[in-house]
Amino acid sequence: MLINGLKAFMSYFISSVVFLFLFSIIYKRITPYNEFKLIHEGNTAAALSFSGALIGFVLPMASAITHSADLLDMFIWAGVALVVQVISFLAVRLVFPTLVNDISSNQVSTGMFLGVISMLTGILNAACIS
């Protein structure tokens, strides 16, 4: 019984980490700036916006793990969470046309706003997975 639980834990945990890694790569490609480079250079706006996006992705993943019938179900919800986060970024970019320059030039208010919108979107996304 414990072995079966451990197998389920490992399969969901490893899959979730892989999805988080894939999300990071895809999100980084969607955004026109290099979050990792900017964060490495000390850009707080990039750190806040990217952290919000990661949290906004992980929240629905956690809900998907809790509510999914199996791994395939969780994979589908992970894809939905990824798409929702990308749409969230694109929507904020439409509202704030200077978003790309603001993040690159370390405008903390813009980075924080994008991060919070990403988290709020993730919370709503997580709540809808039940």
Side-chain angles (χ1 to χ4, degrees), residues 18-105:
V18 169
F19 272 110
L20 182 60
F21 180 73
L22 290 174
F23 171 77
S24 298
I25 292 171
I26 292 169
Y27 191 83
K28 185 177 163 281
R29 288 188 177 260
I30 298 294
T31 58
Y33 42 83
N34 186 336
E35 282 91 351
F36 298 136
K37 180 177 178 279
L38 292 173
I39 292 169
H40 184 70
E41 293 171 353
N43 185 312
T44 305
L48 289 169
S49 66
F50 191 59
S51 297
L54 291 174
I55 293 169
F57 178 74
V58 167
L59 287 170
M61 282 292 301
S63 181
I65 292 168
T66 301
H67 296 100
S68 293
D70 53 31
L71 271 177
L72 178 61
D73 200 26
M74 187 194 82
F75 292 171
I76 293 168
W77 285 118
V80 170
L82 189 152
V83 169
V84 168
Q85 282 301 312
V86 169
I87 290 171
S88 176
F89 170 77
L90 295 174
V92 172
R93 190 173 176 188
L94 280 177
V95 174
F96 292 95
T98 60
L99 177 80
V100 172
N101 289 333
D102 290 350
I103 298 288
S104 296
S105 61

